[in-house]
Amino acid sequence: MTAYHDGADPKHGEDMMAGFSEAALKGLAELEARSPPPDVVTEPAYARPFRATDRLRPDVAAGGGLIRDEAGHARPHYWGHRERLRTRFLEGGHGPMPDYELLELLLFNAIAKIDVKPLAKRLLTAFGDLNGVIAASEHRIMQIEGADRWVYLQLRVVDAFAQRMAQARVLQREVLSSWDALIAYCRTCMAHRETEQFRVLFLDRKNTMIADEALGTGTVGHVPVYPREVAKRALELNASAVILVHNHPSGDPTPSREDITMTARVIGACEAIDVTVHDHVIIGKDAEVSFRESGLM
């Protein structure tokens, strides 16, 4: 005696299948081919680093803390923390506050209602310090558990403010007499970037900076530079001189052989149009190297 699953009559099944079009039958066959065997345990092809519902649970978002008031009512331990932190900042300034608390103040604008201290500490652990957090790429930020595009937005806004404030100290000013401010500006823009960037500072006849432009962005260890583009842009801005600046994401500002060769080519292109290259500065994380001071030009 032959047994059939679920008591199904095979001839009845064939009659039902005969009512489907050829395309539908092909689709069913493909679905069956992609489906795992019934006795195989599967897992998602991509597992999210956290569950959104977890972040709203007090025992998770608060780091495992509920406290009870005098009436016995339980609440997450961080309730009121935001207001207390804001008050401390306004009354005592940022000096006594650790980096993670300053970062918390920023994250308040991106994430509502939950405890953001764990996220602030994860960001600092991943990127080393506030400089590293602010300069991190969107891809790297989104890899941190709990971070989203609104967190990245707040970091970019802070970065923009920092660059604008540093730029205001050097733009439309005679840069050779305010060299320290110029280096501080370049460090703010470039020292903690994860990829190489090539910038050109364009100066007029009085060595006043009239423009600062990024003319190349590359990888961790390389950035393409086109000397003719530097010369062309100098002509468009009616610049009389330029200062070349680029960063080394490795942190070591020591010029490479390629850096020296590229500098010579830019100098040659600019000399052809009577534009002076005052210097080429390489920015590292903790120091910088001037080609002119090092005797490389």
Side-chain angles (χ1 to χ4, degrees):
M1 181 176 180
T2 305
Y4 300 104
H5 295 291
D6 300 326
D9 181 347
K11 186 174 187 310
H12 177 67
E14 293 174 359
D15 291 341
M16 291 184 65
M17 296 293 283
F20 289 98
S21 67
E22 182 178 349
L25 291 174
K26 184 178 179 181
L28 288 172
E30 292 178 352
L31 177 61
E32 183 178 358
R34 291 195 301 268
S35 300
D39 58 341
V40 173
V41 178
T42 64
E43 61 182 36
Y46 170 74
R48 299 182 64 175
F50 63 90
R51 296 198 308 269
T53 52
D54 278 353
R55 295 173 62 218
L56 300 179
R57 284 171 41 201
D59 60 329
V60 174
L66 290 177
I67 59 177
R68 295 185 179 276
D69 58 21
E70 295 179 354
H73 299 129
R75 61 178 176 82
H77 74 84
Y78 59 85
W79 280 15
H81 171 67
R82 295 190 175 202
E83 188 57 35
R84 291 192 297 271
L85 199 57
R86 292 185 182 109
T87 299
R88 282 176 47 208
F89 176 76
L90 291 175
E91 293 181 353
H94 68 86
M97 300 179 72
D99 285 354
Y100 75 84
E101 288 188 338
L102 285 177
L103 193 51
E104 279 188 83
L105 287 169
L106 182 64
L107 295 175
F108 290 166
N109 298 322
I111 301 176
K113 298 183 180 179
I114 72 169
D115 183 17
V116 296
K117 184 185 295 182
L119 174 57
K121 291 186 175 181
R122 282 195 293 270
L123 288 166
L124 288 168
T125 299
F127 302 108
D129 57 18
L130 285 175
N131 286 313
V133 174
I134 298 301
S137 65
E138 181 177 10
H139 174 72
R140 294 285 306 282
I141 291 295
M142 298 299 283
Q143 290 179 325
I144 305 302
E145 180 181 344
D148 57 22
R149 62 192 299 262
W150 300 114
V151 169
Y152 180 69
L153 170 64
Q154 293 301 317
L155 298 176
R156 293 279 61 72
V157 170
V158 172
D159 186 42
F161 269 95
Q163 291 195 33
R164 291 291 182 92
M165 292 171 69
Q167 186 185 63
R169 297 176 181 177
V170 294
L171 194 62
Q172 300 300 331
R173 297 190 182 187
E174 203 278 315
V175 299
L176 299 184
S177 63
S178 54
W179 189 254
D180 290 344
L182 179 68
I183 294 300
Y185 167 60
C186 293
R187 291 184 56 78
T188 298
C189 295
M190 307 173 73
H192 296 275
R193 291 180 61 90
E194 297 175 337
T195 57
E196 281 201 22
Q197 184 183 71
F198 180 77
R199 305 179 77 97
V200 181
L201 313 181
F202 296 94
L203 315 178
D204 65 12
R205 294 185 181 279
K206 297 181 179 179
N207 286 325
T208 298
M209 193 170 87
I210 56 177
D212 162 34
E213 298 184 1
L215 295 188
T217 300
T219 62
V220 173
H222 175 70
V223 59
V225 177
Y226 303 100
R228 287 180 298 177
E229 291 299 317
V230 177
K232 176 183 176 183
R233 189 60 181 144
L235 283 174
E236 292 172 348
L237 294 171
N238 197 28
S240 297
V242 298
I243 297 174
L244 314 178
V245 188
H246 87 278
N247 64 310
H248 280 180
S250 67
D252 180 4
T254 303
S256 66
R257 183 175 301 174
E258 291 78 10
D259 293 335
I260 297 171
T261 300
M262 177 269 291
T263 303
R265 290 175 177 173
V266 173
I267 291 174
C270 289
E271 283 180 345
I273 58 170
D274 198 26
V275 170
T276 302
V277 178
H278 280 318
D279 205 345
H280 182 180
V281 180
I282 299 181
I283 303 294
K285 289 185 178 179
D286 299 309
E288 56 282 331
V289 169
S290 161
F291 273 50
R292 184 165 296 281
E293 291 181 358
S294 301
L296 295 174
M297 58 179 291

